[in-house]
Amino acid sequence: MTTQTLDRSPSAAEDSAPGTPLVTGLGVAAPNGLGTERWWAATLRGESGIRPVQRFDAAQYPAKLAGEVPGFDPAEHVSSRLLPQTDHMTRLALAAAAEALTDAGIDARELPDFSAGVVTAASAGGFEFGQRELQALWSKGGQHVSAYQSFAWFYAVNTGQISIRHGLRGPSGVLVTEQAGGLDAVAQARRQLRKGVPVLLAGGVDSALCPWGWAAHLAGGELSTVADPDRAYLPFSADADGHVVGEGGALLVLEDAAGARARGASGYGTVAGYAATFDPPPGTGAPRLRAAAELALADAGLSAADVDVVFADAAGRRDADRAEAEALAGLFGPRGVPVTAPKTMTGRLAAGGASLDLAAALLALRDQVIPPTINVTRPADDCPVDLVTGQARPASLRTALVLARGRGGFNAAIVVRAAG
């Protein structure tokens, strides 16, 4: 559902122009912190949420680590009526949505009808709910399968449940582009803002940490089987051997900048540029991540020299890491811009990963600091990137580039600029 876009975004000097997307609210559920500020503080401290799987017995599987959201009590975030209707993924999304809207100071039910919408990204839908109901079908028969299975598994369910709960009756949708989805959803929200919709909630929250989902992750052949949480996910390292899967993500409130500032909202930053590209079939051409970055910068009216930090996709596989490092070196020069991958603290979150990186980029601009890439001492010689390792790095930041690659050849890039 992603499309390559070349339409122009307003430059920094035009941040108050009609249709300019200002991010005014953030909501986060992440393996190293539930809630935006808790997660961000842990991220700056370099605290990891990757540990042995707790949600099911993973002893029989070759991969035994995951990033699970800690301290999440569904009853604190979801009504008793909704609990039997929702998968764990949707409950996390509902918590993140409520936080983002509260952070933005918006009660959507007080807005005119159809003036606020929601666009989410998903990779597979409610896998854990689906597994439970399939087990009931196999072991007890069809009369024991919940009627809620008809929608609880669906990849669009987060959009639907958030829309119903908060009365977001404006233009809405869902993107299915795996890890790139969180950026693609925000880009779709930007398109709706340009059409005159005042408020959009967008991003991705995902989870498939159950035996059925685990089998799918393993079948992809990209999971690390290293048992040590500090050595399992090492993007850009010579020791990279795959990634660790996680759950969670982030949802962002986007508003027309002029309208938001008229009501007194300052915001975290503006979405200045976006682009998406597709890789050719394997063996038929070069990856097109660099092209996505170049097009996003062109969309923002900026050059590579304007970028102060890159939030990398960071696949954690030697071939994919080399390809991303080559793309960055080609665009910025070898070690030409600080690069970071805070997802080393969470694992790769499927559709939730890129929107969490986008939230990190906006908070980095706010606090003038680059979060670290943990566990990687130095990048491999064939990955010539200025990787921020060890601890957070203070920096003068105005513009950030966020990159994401999804399974199947999806590439996405978003440029965000500091508010004001």
Side-chain angles (χ1 to χ4, degrees), residues 104-120:
I106 290 176
D107 183 347
R109 297 186 186 277
E110 296 179 355
L111 299 174
D113 282 348
F114 313 109
S115 62
V118 54
V119 182
T120 67

Side-chain angles (χ1 to χ4, degrees), residues 66-162:
E68 298 171 316
V69 175
F72 182 76
D73 182 353
E76 294 180 0
H77 303 277
V78 180
S79 69
S80 59
R81 180 182 63 84
L82 271 182
L83 281 174
Q85 302 181 31
T86 50
D87 180 77
H88 181 69
M89 169 195 73
T90 301
R91 296 167 183 173
L92 292 174
L94 287 166
E99 183 190 15
L101 290 167
T102 299
D103 186 36
I106 290 176
D107 183 347
R109 297 186 186 277
E110 296 179 355
L111 299 174
D113 282 348
F114 313 109
S115 62
V118 54
V119 182
T120 67
S123 65
F127 249 57
E128 190 171 359
F129 194 106
Q131 173 172 327
R132 184 175 66 246
E133 299 310 315
L134 285 173
Q135 287 177 316
L137 174 65
W138 296 334
S139 62
K140 301 177 182 178
Q143 68 272 27
H144 295 278
V145 176
S146 169
Y148 299 130
Q149 166 68 1
S150 62
F151 60 81
W153 71 271
F154 193 38
Y155 57 83
V157 67
N158 288 356
T159 289
Q161 291 287 16
I162 293 168

Side-chain angles (χ1 to χ4, degrees), residues 70 152 289 297:
L289 180 64
L297 287 169

